[in-house]
């Protein structure tokens, strides 16, 4: 089994309204040292092991998990016990 | 004309759209299940608002993998009428049949309001019954309706006259106040506001009727 | 985990932690079972005998409310009540509280409250058509409350918007007593073809019990007993009892259930939703109502988690689940039908004749008890009651406001949180989906038309707990009458109501007095109006560190509009229209918003309400509306005449000019039984011939000004300033 | 400057309706080898450097970024250039 962890973030050009809102909430909690907050998505996919898995992960990310107009992603593939 | 209203799990404005066609402009209309694989016999396809697949992941993202989608793409490619409203618009951008994306409203909150739209292009199958610059009162109801595209795309939208409607007041933070866009060929329209909720005076406005009448008018011209 | 034995449960008194008293436990083991209940059985009794499921403390009181009229097709006892509206159609409605879940987990608590009440409606075979809600919080002066409010509102909108039902009305108010015990009440209204009516029963030996919907997890176990428990600081940590809602699944479930009942009535014999105390409550009630027994096999229950015990499965409050009783010959059809909607549907048991409730788990019989012992044999308590000390002490207190500047007070009143516009909240609810909403939030009642007819349904949620606190009986009457006025002002005939009775600990005699007397007030008002109470919900133990909330009965009233041309809203329509006040005004300042503003407290008694006069005024307004004489109508409630006039002016940005014999202070009096209406000049005589209760105040004007001449003062108020105060106050406070 | 990456996931006992929906979409795309999908949130917080930063990150996670009723989190603190 493989565990694929996918991290999706908004492209820098897209305004991250949730991140902004969280930043002001953090400030109103008194933590002024926080200069920027961005919010993204995190996925864990459990795969049966097979060859060329990476190609499929790319496809799943490109066609489903992200919208390339606004988001980018990276992932890591880990061995699952 | 015969319209298909495509129903995805979680669509919830399907009947509103159905009635707008049946009672509003008195045309033939059928609900089509997302598992269907053919739209043969229909002249136009309408994708209703709602929360397809619960809006999970991103609004519209999961619907894009339903069986009916290839037929919607065929319709778009063949120059047939494709209209997506609200969640339908989100689906069309996820499908890349329309440029840009719809992201969370600027203030982060869902907005249900009747807003004023301005008609930006009357030379489309969806707007030919309006006057250029005409203002209409149409309800909106969305949490992720903020139209976003990059500068280059915006430039193209302008050059190709793809912007169909703008909000007079930018309620959700959309780029250039955009409320609805077409594809280059103008046979595909996506819009966040709900014209199907504005087809009877007793509901507050019937300004949406002309949108549907435009489609009929266009089709009559095409057929002749 | 190994489960404690029956003997261990008895010796360690574990049942007490689950909410069963010693005498209740003894009744079960000595009289009912004549043996000790095992772990699973004790769990079943503890939830089914909780106040939330059994109404053991409130039953006697609830019986005081009238529940009959010529329209009632089903009353209390079903998932929701039903009222005939003619032409083969009926309205179905109910309200439900989700106070405790919302206090611990505001978003999900509110969302699942909405989800639960929707299931109550479609389980009757009805198509849900509209939602409403009544929310009460502490003052908006701290981040914690603002967050709570934000999350509750988001949860309500999140569920209703996604499932695609319009939220057409509600109320939000703020008082200190709700700071740590907010109230979240949700109401759903549905439309039923009378032939589709399904009882929640399981009858007929050998018929099958089918489970439909979401998988079962360990959500909200003991939610029902938890809902019947007081809050303390430490219990705030009791966070496992939280259910998570999935409106997407509920949409599929709703559509499937409505369709199967409508298209295949012969397949389904009974249907019920799994609400509080999930599987046990739904199945036991279905069997008990039909006089049957049941055998369930828990191994068939769709499960989301592993190694769940029988106890956990029976008590789980996982959302979006229904139970059906079907004929065995339609098993394949029914299961396939739900499969088409992509829903899990499985047979989990069958009906028997022996009236026993038998549960198998992993091939072991884990429960074998009389089914009625869960539902019918619950002891009823007759609690003692005594009038709260404050009521006697403040009997002769009469608050009189002091007004130094009429315009300052007027403008101040408009920005009081309880008076200011609630649009900041209701704007986040889709109020128009389904394209039938004729009146959206912002008027006196929400109105939804019935497609294909000229009929429309008006609905409102009302409660003024300050009045109930000062005088439970009169306060209860006012709750009903205020709701009725909202219906009438919208052009509707009040036909019935539902309620949520939110109170503190009923074992406290003062709290029980509040409950008992306010229900008597509600009952007397209902009798006067011939509006039966056809459903409702009781939420007791709303206390925090032993401080009870104000007694807070919420009334959800429904009205029928035969012809939607008669739909009327509060907004002034045109300059030149005449403004009338209907009803007399006295010095009623106890419990008023102006008392809160000036004294920061509420105190004193309420005047007796003249029910006959109230009814006359309502009839007058409704008659005038039906004759087409009224261009706008608004009931006068919090903040009195001044606030009512202002609210009517805002939508179309009009002004008004009035002259009255009332004093400036009386403009803020909250005397009951009053309306303001506007009438076209040309209809003046016709309108005035309808009665003698109307007083001409002045007229609507085009200039954005409130020109007011009272007995003792004369002012001109900038209507734009007034509108700004009213519209922006809540948004400002929420920042 | 420090970059704090926070990963928020639902507690295992909580229904992950999004993950379920994504899994069936992945299957309908033809990738049957995916056995489980879960969806969470991913935050990046940029902090000015200071002592005891970890304590504040904990507080921000507990009180703002997660809902302790239904979610758990982990984070890593990285040096930012
Ligand atoms: N929580 C809410 N949800 C929807 N609508 C609301 C809510 N709170 C208030 N409203 C709407 O705001 C308007 C004013 O509410 P309220 O002051 O309680 O009215 P009234 O005093 O006439 O009962 C009504 O139209 C009501 O439906
Ligand atoms: Mg009112």
């Amino acid at each position: 089994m493989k565990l694929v962890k996918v991290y999706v973030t908004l492209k820098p050009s897209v305004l991250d309204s949730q991140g902004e809102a969280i930043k002001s909430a953090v400030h109103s909690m008194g933590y002024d040292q926080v200069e920027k907050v961005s919010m993204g998505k995190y996925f864990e996919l459990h795969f049966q092991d097979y060859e060329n898995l990476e190609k499929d992960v790319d496809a799943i990310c490109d066609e489903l998990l992200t919208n390339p107009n606004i988001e980018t992603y990276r992932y890591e593939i880990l061995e699952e016990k | 004309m015969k319209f298909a209203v495509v129903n995805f799990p979680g669509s919830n404005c399907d009947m509103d759209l159905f009635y707008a066609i049946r009672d509003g402009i008195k045309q033939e209309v059928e609900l089509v299940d997302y598992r269907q694989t053919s739209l043969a016999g229909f002249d136009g396809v309408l994708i209703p608002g709602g929360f397809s697949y619960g809006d999970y992941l991103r609004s519209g993202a999961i619907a894009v993998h339903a069986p009916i989608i290839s037929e919607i793409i065929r319709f778009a490619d063949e120059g047939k009428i494709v209209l997506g409203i609200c969640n339908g618009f989100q689906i069309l951008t996820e499908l890349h049949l329309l440029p840009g994306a719809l992201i969370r409203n600027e203030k982060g909150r869902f907005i249900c309001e009747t807003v004023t739209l301005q008609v930006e292009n009357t030379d489309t199958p969806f707007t030919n019954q309006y006057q250029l610059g005409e203002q209409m009162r149409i309800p909106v109801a969305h949490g992720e309706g903020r139209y976003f595209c990059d500068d280059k795309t915006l430039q193209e939208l302008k050059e190709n006259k793809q912007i169909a409607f703008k909000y007079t007041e930018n309620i959700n933070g959309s780029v250039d106040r955009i409320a609805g866009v077409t594809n280059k060929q103008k046979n595909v329209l996506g819009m966040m506001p709900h014209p199907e909720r504005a087809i009877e005076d007793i509901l507050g406005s019937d300004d949406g009727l002309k949108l549907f009448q435009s489609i009929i008018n266009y089709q009559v011209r095409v057929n002749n | 985990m190994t489960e404690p034995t029956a003997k261990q449960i008895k010796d360690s008194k574990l049942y007490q932690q689950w909410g069963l008293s010693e005498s209740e436990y003894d009744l079960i083991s000595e009289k009912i079972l004549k043996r000790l209940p095992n772990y699973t059985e004790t769990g079943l009794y503890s939830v089914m005998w909780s106040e939330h499921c059994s109404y053991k403390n409130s039953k006697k009181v609830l019986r005081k409310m009238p529940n009959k009229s010529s329209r009632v097709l089903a009353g209390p006892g079903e998932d929701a009540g039903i009222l005939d509206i003619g032409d083969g159609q009926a309205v179905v409605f109910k309200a439900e509280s989700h106070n405790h879940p919302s206090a611990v987990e505001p978003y999900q608590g509110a969302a699942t409250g909405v989800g639960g009440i929707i299931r109550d409606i479609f389980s009757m075979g009805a198509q849900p058509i509209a939602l409403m809600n009544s929310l009460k919080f502490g003052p908006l002066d701290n981040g914690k409350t603002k967050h709570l409010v934000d999350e509750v509102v988001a949860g309500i909108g999140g569920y209703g918007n996604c499932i695609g039902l319009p939220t057409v009305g509600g109320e939000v108010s703020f008082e200190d007593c709700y700071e740590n015990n907010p109230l979240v009440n949700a109401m759903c209204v549905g439309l039923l073809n009378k032939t589709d009516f399904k009882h929640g029963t399981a009858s007929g030996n050998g018929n099958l019990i089918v489970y439909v919907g979401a998988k079962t997890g360990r959500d909200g176990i003991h939610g029902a007993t938890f809902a019947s428990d007081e809050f303390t600081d430490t219990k705030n940590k009791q966070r496992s009892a939280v259910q998570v809602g999935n409106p997407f699944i509920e949409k599929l479930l709703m559509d499937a259930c409505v369709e199967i009942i409508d298209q295949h009535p012969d397949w389904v014999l009974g249907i019920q939703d799994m609400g509080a105390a999930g599987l046990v409550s739904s199945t036991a009630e279905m069997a008990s109502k039909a006089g049957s027994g049941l055998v369930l096999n828990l191994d068939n229950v769709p499960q989301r988690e592993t190694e769940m015990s029988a106890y956990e499965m029976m008590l789980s409050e996982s959302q979006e689940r229904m139970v059906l009783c079907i004929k065995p010959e339609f098993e394949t059809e029914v299961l396939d039908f739900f499969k088409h909607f992509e829903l899990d549907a499985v047979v989990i048991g069958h009906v028997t004749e022996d009236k026993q409730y038998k549960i198998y788990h992993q091939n072991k019989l884990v429960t074998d008890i009389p089914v009625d012992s869960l539902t019918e044999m619950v002891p009823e308590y007759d609690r003692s009651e005594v009038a709260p000390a404050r009521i006697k002490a403040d009997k002769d207190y009469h608050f009189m406001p002091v007004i130094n500047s009429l315009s300052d007070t007027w403008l101040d009143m408009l920005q009081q949180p309880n008076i200011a516009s609630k649009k900041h909240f209701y704007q986040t609810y889709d109020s128009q989906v389904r394209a039938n909403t004729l009146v959206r939030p912002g008027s006196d009642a929400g109105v939804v038309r019935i497609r294909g007819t000229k009929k429309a349904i008006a609905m409102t949620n009302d409660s003024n707990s300050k009045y109930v606190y000062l005088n439970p009986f009169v306060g209860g009457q006012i709750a009903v009458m205020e709701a009725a006025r909202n219906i009438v002002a919208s052009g509707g005939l009040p036909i019935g109501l539902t309620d949520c009775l939110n109170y503190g600990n009923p074992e406290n005699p003062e709290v029980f007095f509040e409950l008992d007397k306010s229900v008597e007030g509600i009952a007397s008002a209902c009798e006067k109006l011939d509006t039966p109470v056809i459903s409702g919900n009781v939420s007791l133990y709303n206390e925090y560190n032993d401080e009870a909330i104000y007694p807070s009965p919420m009334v959800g009233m429904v009205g029928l509009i035969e012809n939607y041309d008669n739909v009327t809203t509060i907004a002034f329509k045109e300059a030149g229209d005449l403004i009338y006040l209907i009803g007399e005004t006295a010095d009623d300042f106890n419990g008023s918003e102006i008392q809160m503003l000036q004294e920061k407290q509420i105190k004193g008694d309420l005047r007796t309400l003249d029910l006959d006069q109230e009814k006359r005024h309502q009839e007058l307004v409704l008659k005038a509306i039906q004759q087409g004489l009224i261009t706008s109508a608004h009931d006068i409630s919090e903040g009195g005449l001044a606030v009512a006039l202002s609210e009517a002016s805002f939508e179309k940005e009009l002004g008004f000019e009035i002259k009255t014999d009332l004093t400036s202070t009386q403009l803020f009096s909250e005397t009951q039984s009053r309306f303001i209406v506007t009438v076209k000049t040309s209809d003046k005589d016709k309108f005035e011939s309808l009665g003698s209760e109307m007083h001409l105040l002045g007229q609507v004007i085009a200039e954005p000004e409130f020109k007011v001449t009272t007995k003792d003062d004369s002012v001109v108020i900038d209507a734009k300033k007034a509108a700004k105060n009213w519209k922006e106050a809540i948004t400002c406070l929420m920042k």
Side-chain angles (χ1 to χ4, degrees), chain C residues 443-445 462 482 485-486 570 634-637 647:
Chain C
S443 198
D444 275 341
D462 282 285
E482 190 187 336
R485 286 197 295 271
N486 282 321
I570 69 169
H634 189 10
D635 78 305
I636 299 179
S637 56
E647 287 172 340

Side-chain angles (χ1 to χ4, degrees), chain B residues 34-35 56 109 112 114 200, chain C residues 246 340 342 424 427 440:
Chain B
Y34 66 103
R35 285 163 289 207
Y56 297 144
R109 311 173 84 223
C112 176
T114 298
E200 288 168 87
Chain C
N246 184 343
H340 181 76
E342 308 200 356
H424 180 84
Q427 189 184 39
R440 302 165 66 176

